[in-house]
Structure formats: structure tokens, C-alpha cells
Amino acid sequence: MHFTSEQRLDDGVLEREFTLGEIPGTLWTPGSAPAPLVLMAHNNGLPKADPRLVARARYTAARGFAVATIDAAGCGDRPRSAADERVRADLRRAMRAGEPVDEIFESLIGPLVENAVPEWRATLDALLALPETGGPVGYSGGWTALGIRLAVVEPRIAAAGFFAGGYVPRAQREEARQLTVPLLFLLQWDDEGNPRQRALDLFDAFGSKEKTLHANPGGHTGTPWFELEDGCRFLDRHLR
């Protein structure tokens, strides 16, 4: 892991850019060390510098957690494969025509999860080798499909917070039954791109004994800010 820049923010959080091989990432750490580590993932091609992600990361770090994110393959400035571009073009065409898109999502999101998991695990190895980070580890992010897979295969993850705003492939819907860590699941009740019943069915499928559903009215990007505060309290309970 190679740090390429750093800056001390007004809230005392240290923000550092890093690279791990071809993987670019950002690490936010509070003044205290070692701090419990939270992996904050994003998808749909968004960059790690997306303002909503950065705001969540900075707030969480100011609450005493180390927070890390990376640009997985196809996100941010990382190149997309020709096959991915074809699938995305098919998706845009189908959505404009009002055609079913589930099978297209399957062919897009499934491979993205498979490719992202090894990169996130390698990043986790490197982060936990730093003196300023420690376990247990939490996962928080809008990429629920990735979070399910990581929480199932990665024993270092002790708690997870998911946003029910993205497509979850069939494989991860099945894996959800194997999930055992404490879980906080956020649902926007009027999310235009995520059928409500599918999100409720997924919550029902999670195998965790401790799982909590927070539902709020509004569309995809309308999650209330107070849910971030509640999410930090959830992390406090399980990572300290």
C-alpha cells in the first residue's frame, strides 16, 4: 500500500489517498488509534470521491472510526471492459423502452461482485496491517450485493449496514441466508429503481439473528441524514 497524498480536515480527520497495485482508495482516520475499521463501498460506476460517499465517510471517521473505500474495477476512473460497456448499453436501451431488465442486471452485477471481492479482501489485509486501524471490522454501503458476499466469506467483518437501493443478483439473495453478523438495513419506501417487495423479501432472507429494518418515505437518494447517526450508533454497539 502506497499513500499518495494526505490532508488534515477541519474536524480533525486525516484523509489520505492510497494505491494498492492498480486499486485506488481513500482512508479517513480519526485522531485516536487504533480505530475500528469500516469498509464503505459504492457501485454503479460511482467514484470514491462521490460527495455523498465522502460526507458519510468523514462523518463516520469523526465519530472515531477508520473508514476506507476503493474504486473497484469499472468504478471512478478505472476502465470498464468492452463486455461491461455492451451490457450497460443494453441496460440503457431496455430501460428507455420499458422492457424487463432483471436478466441484464444479472449479467452486469454478478461479475462485478465476483471481481470486486478479491480486491476488497486484499485491501482489508493491507489496511489491518497499519497501526492506525484495528478490528473488528464493519461494512457500510450502498453496494448490498458486494456486502452480502463479503460478510459471508470474510470472517473479520463483524457487522454490516446495507442500503436497499441496488440490484442484488440471485446468487447473493441465496447467500443472504448464510449471513450471521448483526445487520442494519435501510430502505427508501418509494425507491423508483428498487421494488419494495424485493427489498422486504431480502430482509426476510437474511440469516442474522439480530437484524433491523429502517424504512423512510422518499426516493432513491432521499435517505434522511439522521440515519447516518443511527448507523454510527449501530457500529458503536458492535465494533467497540
Side-chain angles (χ1 to χ4, degrees):
M1 176 174 284
H2 175 63
F3 287 102
T4 58
S5 69
E6 70 173 60
Q7 62 172 328
R8 182 71 64 178
L9 306 175
D10 293 341
D11 51 15
V13 170
L14 181 63
E15 179 184 272
R16 286 178 289 175
E17 301 293 323
F18 66 83
T19 57
L20 182 66
E22 297 180 353
I23 306 168
T26 309
L27 174 65
W28 295 266
T29 49
S32 56
L37 177 62
V38 178
L39 306 178
M40 198 165 282
H42 57 288
N43 64 346
N44 292 333
L46 291 174
K48 58 186 177 61
D50 178 76
R52 288 182 298 154
L53 173 70
V54 171
R56 294 205 316 269
R58 289 183 56 173
Y59 181 91
T60 305
R63 288 284 296 261
F65 297 96
V67 182
T69 189
I70 64 171
D71 275 343
C75 292
D77 293 329
R78 295 189 68 184
R80 296 174 179 173
S81 69
D84 283 348
E85 289 296 336
R86 286 194 297 270
V87 174
R88 290 178 186 274
D90 289 343
L91 179 62
R92 291 190 294 269
R93 179 197 54 76
M95 293 179 72
R96 286 195 300 267
E99 298 172 358
V101 295
D102 279 8
E103 292 306 315
I104 301 177
F105 271 122
E106 283 285 336
S107 63
L108 175 64
I109 305 300
L112 288 178
V113 171
E114 295 294 336
N115 293 332
V117 167
E119 293 192 341
W120 273 99
R121 297 188 79 178
T123 302
L124 179 57
D125 290 341
L127 290 168
L128 289 180
L130 300 173
E132 56 266 47
T133 62
V137 178
Y139 178 94
S140 175
W143 197 352
T144 297
L146 172 66
I148 292 171
R149 170 62 62 83
L150 278 178
V152 169
V153 304
E154 181 49 72
R156 290 172 290 187
I157 293 180
F162 298 147
F163 291 80
Y167 182 83
V168 177
R170 287 186 289 268
Q172 276 68 64
R173 279 179 259 162
E174 285 299 316
E175 285 180 320
R177 305 180 191 281
Q178 304 173 40
L179 201 78
T180 59
V181 299
L183 174 68
L184 176 62
F185 196 49
L186 302 183
L187 170 62
Q188 284 303 103
W189 202 245
D190 308 299
D191 190 335
E192 59 279 4
N194 186 47
R196 183 188 306 165
Q197 190 58 53
R198 178 179 289 169
L200 295 174
D201 291 343
L202 179 61
F203 179 76
D204 190 51
F206 287 128
S208 303
K209 292 182 178 179
E210 180 184 334
K211 56 181 181 180
T212 302
L213 172 67
H214 286 187
N216 292 281
H220 184 74
T221 60
T223 304
W225 184 254
F226 61 74
E227 289 291 2
L228 182 54
E229 182 179 358
D230 287 345
C232 285
R233 285 198 292 267
F234 168 80
L235 295 172
D236 281 334
R237 289 198 301 274
H238 298 292
L239 300 187
R240 297 193 188 278

